[in-house]
Amino acid sequence: MEILKVENINKTFDDLHVLKGVSFCMNKGEVVAIIGSSGGGKTTLLRCLTFLEKADCGSITIDGDNIVADVEGKSVYPNDEELRKRALKVGLVFQDFNLFPHKSVLQNCTLAPTSVLKLDKAQAEENARRVLEQVGLSDKVDAYPYQLSGGQKQRVAIARALCMNPSLLCFDEPTSALDPELTAEVLKVIKDLKDHGVTMLIVTHEIDFAREVADTAIFLDNGVILEQGNAKELIDNPKNERTKEFLKKIAE
Ligand SMILES: Nc1ncnc2c1ncn2[C@@H]1O[C@H](COP(=O)(O)OP(=O)(O)O)[C@@H](O)[C@H]1O
Ligand SMILES: [Mg+2]
């Protein structure tokens, strides 16, 4: 079943053309890694897919819902209230966690489910405890963000996103702010989510991780998908010269 269909997304900031006709699809349970040099438009693409940024042209369909339509070469969005509601189908885990500093781990995970999804508190807490257990943080439910390591904070951020039960979970370089030891614990959680069937789109520089965990890899270069396909094949045996160059450079 198709969870995401992106067609011909273009995005310009003033006169900087950042995304130049990006199209791809994802199926339920699929894990896609987006790789590519800094400045290539990876974050902008994730921000368009999570509706933090509006595309200029192109369409976005999530879980069968054509949220952004392309009408005569222009992206057409629903009104803000409608967009906010339909955008809940996609979750985003940020590079730098973005936890609420004055709320406990449990509160970080129940705030949006109670205020946005209108779950009652007991149910939101039950869900949150289950998800926190899944990411290995059962013993931290009452802790505050300042009491956690970077890896633990990122796992709370992942749990918080999962508590909204998204159809698609996006990650923007989830380990780039972490030391190598802490990186491993976060990558392990993401791998475990894959085993539980969570559909994930992950921007990452962790090429070994992408090779191991992703089904599909996409090489985004200068706003264009230059190569996409089976993650192992693409990473072990890239066809495009620029993909080869990029992979060689980051292996150094
Ligand atoms: N809000 C913005 N306003 C202007 N330029 C932006 C904005 N966001 C990103 N850019 C520019 O778009 C390009 C792509 O950035 P980004 O999507 O962050 O790339 P990546 O995540 O691949 O490093 C960069 O040149 C960046 O400076
Ligand atoms: Mg980025």
Side-chain angles (χ1 to χ4, degrees):
M1 197 179 104
E2 201 168 74
I3 286 289
L4 175 69
K5 184 174 184 146
V6 182
E7 282 179 303
N8 193 33
I9 289 291
N10 277 264
K11 175 68 186 174
T12 301
F13 292 113
D14 300 319
D15 50 7
L16 185 66
H17 197 176
V18 176
L19 298 175
K20 303 166 185 164
V22 173
S23 305
F24 67 99
C25 298
M26 286 179 68
N27 287 320
K28 194 171 168 58
E30 187 176 356
V31 176
V32 174
I34 300 182
I35 58 173
S37 303
S38 189
K42 302 180 299 298
T43 294
T44 303
L45 177 60
L46 282 195
R47 289 177 59 83
C48 288
L49 299 181
T50 50
F51 309 103
L52 296 171
E53 207 71 72
K54 284 188 174 171
D56 305 321
C57 89
S59 64
I60 302 172
T61 303
I62 296 172
D63 207 1
D65 182 11
N66 180 214
I67 299 177
V68 183
D70 186 291
V71 180
E72 294 171 357
K74 274 209 159 67
S75 294
V76 177
Y77 283 77
N79 66 46
D80 287 353
E81 192 189 341
E82 182 72 14
L83 180 61
R84 258 199 306 277
K85 224 165 38 194
R86 290 157 75 180
L88 295 173
K89 285 173 176 287
V90 200
L92 177 61
V93 175
F94 296 91
Q95 222 161 345
D96 51 0
F97 330 130
N98 272 349
L99 297 178
F100 305 117
H102 303 300
K103 301 223 175 275
S104 71
V105 166
L106 189 66
Q107 288 165 338
N108 264 278
C109 293
T110 56
L111 188 68
T114 51
S115 64
V116 181
L117 299 181
K118 309 288 181 208
L119 292 190
D120 69 56
K121 190 165 168 253
Q123 207 198 333
E125 287 189 358
E126 190 187 318
N127 288 345
R129 285 179 194 279
R130 185 176 37 78
V131 173
L132 285 164
E133 187 183 348
Q134 199 183 353
V135 301
L137 288 175
S138 286
D139 56 338
K140 297 290 180 191
V141 289
D142 296 319
Y144 283 79
Y146 76 90
Q147 297 171 311
L148 302 176
S149 71
Q152 290 167 338
K153 280 185 214 169
Q154 190 56 305
R155 285 188 280 146
V156 176
I158 293 170
R160 182 177 62 176
L162 284 171
C163 284
M164 296 299 282
N165 199 19
S167 303
L168 169 67
L169 186 54
C170 300
F171 295 80
D172 193 1
E173 298 188 27
T175 60
S176 64
L178 302 176
D179 296 336
E181 316 94 86
L182 302 179
T183 293
E185 70 184 48
V186 170
L187 296 181
K188 184 173 167 293
V189 164
I190 295 175
K191 195 163 173 244
D192 183 60
L193 296 180
K194 178 194 162 92
D195 296 337
H196 282 81
V198 180
T199 313
M200 293 182 282
L201 179 59
I202 309 171
V203 170
T204 186
H205 287 302
E206 300 283 339
I207 295 299
D208 293 339
F209 171 75
R211 186 187 178 285
E212 186 190 342
V213 174
D215 301 297
T216 304
I218 288 177
F219 178 59
L220 183 71
D221 188 60
N222 206 2
V224 179
I225 294 181
L226 287 185
E227 190 165 354
Q228 67 177 307
N230 177 282
K232 280 189 188 61
E233 279 171 30
L234 188 147
I235 290 166
D236 290 343
N237 196 8
K239 306 257 178 311
N240 186 285
E241 283 308 319
R242 292 191 69 98
T243 321
K244 286 183 195 171
E245 218 174 281
F246 169 76
L247 289 169
K248 206 168 124 197
K249 205 167 65 200
I250 64 166
E252 277 167 6

